[in-house]
Amino acid sequence: MSPLPAPPLPAGAIRAQRKVHASGRFMINGQFIKLGRRHAGKIVTVVIEDTHDRILHGEDELAVRPSKNLKPIARLYVKGMGTHKNRQGSPDDEPSRKS
């Protein structure tokens, strides 16, 4: 029997993935969230809702934290190790000349 599909996101929610640093923290939407060192190295999914952030690892909910930044999210971007390598959209695309 296959597992149940993930529940739908609440209206207006955004989902993003982050890797928890060795210190047990990560940054999302300009805010550091501390989970603890026992979660270091895990890839967590953050569901950014209107007033709080819900942190998931697989199907387990690890934490719910209030959002400090209540402004609408205009863009999400990721920077860090490995995020700029092989940024081509498909194998047929030519590499950018700007990089």
Side-chain angles (χ1 to χ4, degrees), residues 46-59:
V46 183
V47 179
I48 304 167
E49 298 178 11
D50 292 335
T51 58
H52 60 278
D53 299 329
R54 187 175 311 276
I55 297 98
L56 309 169
H57 182 255
E59 295 181 12

Side-chain angles (χ1 to χ4, degrees), residues 9-23:
L9 290 174
I14 297 173
R15 188 178 292 239
Q17 289 187 326
R18 295 291 186 266
K19 184 175 182 179
V20 181
H21 189 266
S23 66

Side-chain angles (χ1 to χ4, degrees), residues 4-68:
L4 294 174
L9 290 174
I14 297 173
R15 188 178 292 239
Q17 289 187 326
R18 295 291 186 266
K19 184 175 182 179
V20 181
H21 189 266
S23 66
R25 299 180 344 155
F26 65 93
M27 182 180 253
I28 189 84
N29 197 19
Q31 171 181 345
F32 279 106
I33 295 180
K34 185 168 184 173
L35 288 179
R37 290 186 181 192
R38 68 178 177 259
H39 299 294
K42 290 182 181 177
I43 303 291
V44 295
T45 302
V46 183
V47 179
I48 304 167
E49 298 178 11
D50 292 335
T51 58
H52 60 278
D53 299 329
R54 187 175 311 276
I55 297 98
L56 309 169
H57 182 255
E59 295 181 12
D60 299 329
E61 184 175 288
L62 300 177
V64 176
R65 300 286 193 262
S67 295
K68 292 181 181 175

Side-chain angles (χ1 to χ4, degrees), residues 64-81:
V64 176
R65 300 286 193 262
S67 295
K68 292 181 181 175
N69 184 0
L70 299 178
K71 295 178 185 176
I73 297 173
R75 64 179 177 228
L76 279 177
Y77 61 94
V78 178
K79 55 184 186 177
M81 192 168 109

